Amino acid sequence: MKEIFLLKLGEIVLKGANKRQFESKLRQNIRRRMKAYGNFDVYLIQSTVYVEPMDDACDIDGAWEACSSIFGVVSLCRCRPCEKNMDAIFNAVEEYLGDDLDCAKSFKVESKRSDKRFPMTSIAISQEIGGRLAEAHPQVAVDVHNPDYTVYVEIRDLAAYVHGPAQPGAGGLPTGVGGRAMCLLSGGIDSPVAAYMIAKRGVEIECVHFFSYPYTSQLAKDKVLELARLVTRYSGRMTVDIVSFTEIQEAIRDNCPEEFFTLIMRRFMMEIAQTIAKKHGCGALITGENLGQVASQTMEAMTVTGAVVDIPVFMPLVGMDKEEIVTIARKIGTLETSILPYEDCCTVFTPKHPKTKPTLGQVINAERNLDREALIQKALESVEKVTVKYHDEPGI
Ligand code: ATP
Ligand code: MG
């Protein structure tokens, strides 16, 4: 008998008037993600999404893995559906969870009855199934307060479902309900985590990367594209715009005081990113900036770099410690790629003594020998667009 997944919705349930729209977006996202794993039926009843394989060719483990990275799902479980009578429920628990139960020291049964037409209360269901299981597994103790293992029985409209403990979902809001934003993606640890965190709030992500060939290598570019691909596991497919930054960096090196190099460079990045963002319908920029991490990430430096843009700049890592950021990078699977030792364009032409408390006036003065508009125009003409997706299969 087959297995099906139940995905429980998180914050969406609290959304009041927008709930319908959020739910239908989530269902649509799950359907799209499941396409790569075979023929699945995806339907939503009472704030739970059912993901049901329709034939034997379905890749159940692949689909399960994918479901655990879909935003908007707070928890998920693999279950066995069965008929809504006590014999069928007991047999389903025995067949489907019997081995897990044998490995536990103690257990309890927890039941939920959302189909109120079912004649027994949830307490009575737990007592009867628990009693029958205790007889069948005399070596496993019943412990209703602090059990080693919990058997869940859910009596729903279409069927009864039995399952073991649920797994936490990816949380957040369904991709697409929060608009679209453009992340300035470097090859470091921070910016992929920043993209993930904003994606988690239901935002579609696009990325822009500044590339300084020949100062930075093809390998450095491939690394950034791989980081983008790893983020698409959560965010869905994205476009990465690769901007040639060499000429701008050389112009800064040749025409500006060294202590302002990084700040001026970052102002170019922000302005170019904003122009591309607006073209793509993105309503905000995202960076991996973190207060006090480096000289260009002081409040004064942020004022100077923020001055060239007029859309919000999201910095989800601004108040976090490095260790906290690394923990998320590890969890989402970007850390190993981020720590590969390729150079970034920020590390080329780094000033020995960067200005940590710049004023806007000083920086504008330091830029006076540059033709900003012409340099930006030329960089925009150099853009190479790459579409990045997690799998090669259609649908993701
Ligand atoms: P990261 O770990 O994300 O590289 P960082 O701590 O190295 O961050 P900086 O190099 O100062 O910090 O960059 C700050 C932010 O500027 C980055 O998080 C990223 O959003 C953006 N950024 C830096 N370099 C690039 C680049 N080459 N292309 C696109 N964005 C960049
Ligand atoms: Mg960096």
Side-chain angles (χ1 to χ4, degrees), residues 182-185 190-191 193-195 198 266 270 285-290 297 302 313-318:
M182 172 146 278
C183 180
L184 285 83
L185 187 68
D190 302 336
S191 44
V193 173
I198 298 300
R266 294 197 43 73
M270 298 297 273
L285 299 179
I286 305 165
T287 74
E289 281 166 279
N290 177 249
Q297 295 175 20
M302 287 175 186
V313 180
F314 295 150
M315 303 176 182
L317 315 186
V318 78

Side-chain angles (χ1 to χ4, degrees), residues 183-192 194 208-211 224 245 262 265-266 269-270 286-290 293-294 296-297 317 322 344-347:
C183 180
L184 285 83
L185 187 68
S186 71
I189 294 173
D190 302 336
S191 44
V208 57
H209 175 66
F210 297 91
F211 176 60
V224 170
F245 209 47
T262 310
M265 186 188 80
R266 294 197 43 73
M269 283 188 183
M270 298 297 273
I286 305 165
T287 74
E289 281 166 279
N290 177 249
Q293 193 182 80
V294 289
S296 58
Q297 295 175 20
L317 315 186
K322 194 72 190 182
D344 181 72
C345 73
C346 283
T347 53

Side-chain angles (χ1 to χ4, degrees), residues 74-94:
V74 73
S75 72
L76 61 165
C77 50
R78 291 168 85 134
C79 350
R80 167 69 60 92
C82 63
E83 274 181 39
K84 288 192 270 186
N85 68 66
M86 296 306 276
D87 284 341
I89 292 169
F90 174 71
N91 289 336
V93 174
E94 272 295 84

